[in-house]
Amino acid sequence: MIRLETISKHNSHRILFFEASAALNKGEKIGLVGPNGAGKTTLFRMITGEELPDEGQVTIEKYVSIGYFNQDVGEMSGRRAVAEVMDGAGPISTVAAELADLEAAMCDPDQADEMDAIVERYGEVQARFEELGGYELEGRAREVLAGLSFSQDMMEMDVGALSGGWKMRVALARILLMRPDVMLLDEPSNHLDLESLIWLEAFLQGYEGALLMTSHDREFLNRVVSKIIEIDGGSLTSYSGDYAFYERQRAVNETQQQAQFERQQAMLAKELKFIERFKARASHASQVQSRVKKLDKIERIEPPKRRHVVSFDFPPAPRSGEDVVVLRTVHKGYGSRTLYQAFDFVIRRKERWCVMGVNGAGKSTLLKLVVGATEPDTGTVTVGGSVRVGYFSQHAMELLEGDATVFESLEGAFPQAGVGVLKALAGCFGFSGDDVEKKCRVLSGGEKARLVMALMLFNPPNFLVLDEPTNHLDLDTKQMLIKALAVYEGTMLFVSHDRHFLATLSNRVLELTPEGIHQYGGGYTEYVARTGHEAPGLRS
């Protein structure tokens, strides 16, 4: 359906692609992976025609419809959310608009002389609308929005009144309702809660068209795609399997290539040693000449291209008392809505609680109660002795000093640390080279999140409270964070929609449901096994 044929593309002085080739065939579901800045979004834009390759060509079969979702959703306002989604439904929306115009014309006395033609055309358009499933369109639009966690009230809201994250869900819903021949999805899992993510997985698994997508969620990739295309060093490499297979196969390929490279290097060294030893002897002239010609003809094996992944050893957290936080008969509500009533909860040292619950269940409110960012209506929240709290929230990113650079922010927080240590810390969280000189006010949301995380974890507190810490982190940074937190000896309370993060780090689960609050010993994996669902209210 879509072929990329020996494409080359430069971005300023940087080579993104060099004579790279790949294909997306009918029904394939492909994950596009590569480090930040490798060219994933540029590749999408070349397929949609927004950019052209410098050399080579992008070939798309005739009559293939393409739906493209990216993070830049543009301006949306003036329409209900459900109407905005229906407007993106391709040919149906055009036919629906004509049908509405014809209905208005039939009621217009000024067009009485043309009524026969109008009625005849109305019959044709109505038949086409029915053939395209137009009468079911609104029902399907509402079903998609409900899957993405919209309430019925939100569906009726002016889309302009929604936050950026909810507007992105509307933009995603437009593409899903359209059901094009090819979907290009650039980070569709961003801004989704766990329930929406699981619904989207099921939708894409049942989608019969071709899919090319990026995601920073490895579990999401594993469940949806059956092929990986990797962008690295200007080339496109295909792997037939999910993300886990790609990781294993890439490691095997690197090991094999390294072994071949080392064997060839040893052989070349041996031959060069012989040439150097006997080049001045007339008795060995023919042998020397023969070996020189042999070396000239050998195709050199390159060492594997290894991604530069910085690891960092975080200092150990100081020990806290056994009872880290104690909540007693806590009541908390907003207006007429009660979130917690006579709620008792104790967090003990070294416990790692993940908080589960649908939107509005009170997950973030619990975290705010624990860190003192909000007060209970009644009841008490007591922080234990020797507890030092580190709190990650979206609000923390707003507190960065806008005119300070990334390095100045780190240096200001840790004046005793050496330059090399701070640069290693910055690199660990994705700030390498000149990136450390970026001013905080120009950082993206993801970059701000990484900087706040670096500031918090360099001198770690013994109690981490994390509200969606992995939002916007790429796969490599996320894996580094998980590895660092896996050996962290303090206590954790966190909310996350990333199942790999949940499964690796939790050893307790707090589930918030309309029927009540449930506590589970064992982590997220045990929770899924015991309850039969991956998130509250979802049955598997």
Side-chain angles (χ1 to χ4, degrees):
M1 299 180 81
I2 298 174
R3 300 193 69 81
L4 305 162
E5 299 172 336
T6 58
I7 59 167
S8 295
K9 182 72 176 177
H10 299 74
N11 182 359
S12 186
H13 300 296
R14 193 152 164 262
I15 297 173
L16 293 178
F17 300 99
F18 179 71
E19 296 184 352
S21 298
L24 175 62
N25 299 312
K26 188 173 182 179
E28 282 189 324
K29 293 183 172 71
I30 299 177
L32 184 64
V33 303
N36 279 346
K40 297 187 288 292
T41 299
T42 299
L43 187 129
F44 282 138
R45 292 172 62 85
M46 286 193 290
I47 291 174
T48 60
E50 294 173 57
E51 291 190 33
L52 296 174
D54 299 332
E55 296 174 20
Q57 61 182 355
V58 179
T59 306
I60 301 172
E61 287 181 11
K62 280 186 178 181
Y63 311 118
V64 167
S65 58
I66 297 176
Y68 175 37
F69 168 79
N70 61 21
Q71 299 295 304
D72 183 14
V73 298
E75 286 299 316
M76 288 184 185
S77 63
R79 272 196 291 228
R80 295 176 304 143
V82 67
E84 185 72 34
V85 171
M86 290 169 64
D87 186 61
I92 301 179
S93 58
T94 305
V95 176
E98 185 179 358
L99 201 61
D101 290 343
L102 289 166
E103 286 171 351
M106 286 191 291
C107 299
D108 185 356
D110 294 337
Q111 300 189 53
D113 294 343
E114 304 166 43
M115 195 57 63
D116 288 345
I118 292 171
V119 170
E120 183 180 353
R121 179 60 184 161
Y122 182 81
E124 293 170 358
V125 175
Q126 188 180 44
R128 177 62 175 152
F129 188 66
E130 191 170 347
E131 179 188 331
L132 290 171
Y135 288 110
E136 295 84 41
L137 182 63
E138 182 167 345
R140 291 197 290 118
R142 289 183 181 277
E143 185 181 336
V144 170
L145 285 170
L148 296 175
S149 297
F150 277 76
S151 66
Q152 292 298 322
D153 288 344
M154 289 177 70
M155 294 180 200
E156 301 301 328
M157 284 174 61
D158 185 322
V159 72
L162 298 174
S163 69
W166 287 101
K167 282 181 180 176
M168 285 193 183
R169 296 191 195 205
V170 170
L172 177 59
R174 284 171 61 103
I175 304 299
L176 301 182
L177 183 66
M178 178 183 171
R179 282 188 175 261
D181 299 318
V182 176
M183 276 194 210
L184 307 177
L185 304 181
D186 195 359
E187 294 296 343
S189 52
N190 274 3
H191 300 284
L192 295 186
D193 52 57
L194 186 52
E195 293 74 25
S196 300
L197 195 59
I198 292 167
W199 178 87
L200 180 59
E201 261 173 22
F203 184 96
L204 294 177
Q205 286 165 354
Y207 168 62
E208 294 180 354
L211 171 68
L212 180 66
M213 74 170 186
T214 62
S215 177
H216 292 157
D217 188 319
R218 60 190 293 147
E219 190 62 33
F220 183 64
L221 284 171
N222 279 334
R223 297 189 184 200
V224 174
V225 307
S226 55
K227 182 177 176 180
I228 295 288
I229 293 179
E230 179 193 50
I231 306 177
D232 197 10
S235 63
L236 294 170
T237 307
S238 296
Y239 295 80
S240 295
D242 60 14
Y243 186 79
F245 172 84
Y246 151 75
E247 277 194 312
R248 293 192 302 270
Q249 192 59 45
R250 190 179 195 276
V252 168
N253 292 351
E254 281 186 355
T255 301
Q256 291 176 343
Q257 190 174 344
Q258 182 67 30
Q260 291 171 348
F261 171 73
E262 289 174 359
R263 283 197 298 270
Q264 188 182 69
Q265 290 299 302
M267 181 273 291
L268 292 173
K270 183 178 178 182
E271 294 296 317
L272 288 170
K273 186 177 180 181
F274 178 91
I275 291 167
E276 189 64 29
R277 182 178 177 186
F278 295 110
K279 65 182 179 181
R281 297 190 188 180
S283 59
H284 288 74
S286 61
Q287 288 176 284
V288 168
Q289 197 60 32
S290 173
R291 296 196 182 199
V292 168
K293 287 180 180 178
K294 175 185 171 185
L295 292 186
D296 287 342
K297 290 178 182 177
I298 289 176
E299 185 176 344
R300 297 296 196 268
I301 296 171
E302 296 292 327
K305 291 179 287 189
R306 299 187 188 278
R307 285 201 193 149
H308 183 60
V309 179
V310 183
S311 60
F312 195 89
D313 293 325
F314 295 101
R319 183 185 174 111
S320 70
E322 287 302 314
D323 286 349
V324 176
V325 178
V326 178
L327 284 75
R328 291 291 182 221
T329 59
V330 164
H331 180 96
K332 183 66 179 178
Y334 293 100
S336 60
R337 191 152 162 266
T338 300
L339 292 176
Y340 298 101
Q341 190 165 18
F343 176 46
D344 291 330
F345 181 46
V346 180
I347 300 174
R348 294 186 171 84
R349 190 172 72 87
K350 288 199 171 185
E351 290 182 338
R352 297 160 175 253
W353 286 90
C354 69
V355 186
M356 311 284 295
V358 298
N359 273 337
K363 301 187 295 292
S364 293
T365 299
L366 174 62
L367 270 54
K368 289 176 182 176
L369 285 167
V370 165
V371 301
T374 190
E375 296 293 326
D377 298 334
T378 59
T380 60
V381 178
T382 307
V383 177
S386 304
V387 172
R388 195 169 82 229
V389 180
Y391 177 38
F392 177 89
S393 70
Q394 304 308 308
H395 175 65
M397 297 189 288
E398 299 167 12
L399 302 179
L400 294 170
E401 176 55 52
D403 287 327
T405 66
V406 169
F407 187 79
E408 287 168 349
S409 299
L410 296 172
E411 193 175 39
F414 311 112
Q416 304 302 316
V419 171
V421 172
L422 292 182
K423 286 196 172 180
L425 174 66
C428 183
F429 283 90
F431 298 103
S432 57
D434 294 340
D435 288 344
V436 297
E437 299 306 323
K438 281 186 178 179
K439 295 210 179 271
C440 290
R441 57 182 158 75
V442 304
L443 297 179
S444 68
E447 288 172 325
K448 286 179 180 177
R450 297 202 307 268
L451 178 54
V452 170
M453 199 74 67
L455 289 165
M456 185 171 66
L457 291 178
F458 178 69
N459 185 19
N462 50 29
F463 180 36
L464 289 177
V465 180
L466 311 174
D467 196 354
E468 294 288 3
T470 60
N471 274 0
H472 303 294
L473 297 187
D474 62 39
L475 282 159
D476 288 337
T477 308
K478 192 182 291 187
Q479 189 59 24
M480 180 281 301
L481 177 63
I482 289 172
K483 283 183 178 178
L485 293 178
V487 296
Y488 168 72
E489 294 188 349
T491 307
M492 290 173 61
L493 175 71
F494 60 90
V495 175
S496 176
H497 64 250
D498 187 290
R499 283 158 294 180
H500 181 54
F501 189 91
L502 291 169
T504 305
L505 297 176
S506 62
N507 59 23
R508 300 284 189 282
V509 175
L510 185 72
E511 182 187 53
L512 312 179
T513 73
E515 294 76 35
I517 298 174
H518 310 286
Q519 301 183 25
Y520 296 88
Y524 176 73
T525 303
E526 291 81 2
Y527 162 81
V528 173
R530 287 178 62 185
T531 64
H533 57 262
E534 295 184 284
L538 294 178
R539 300 288 161 186
S540 57

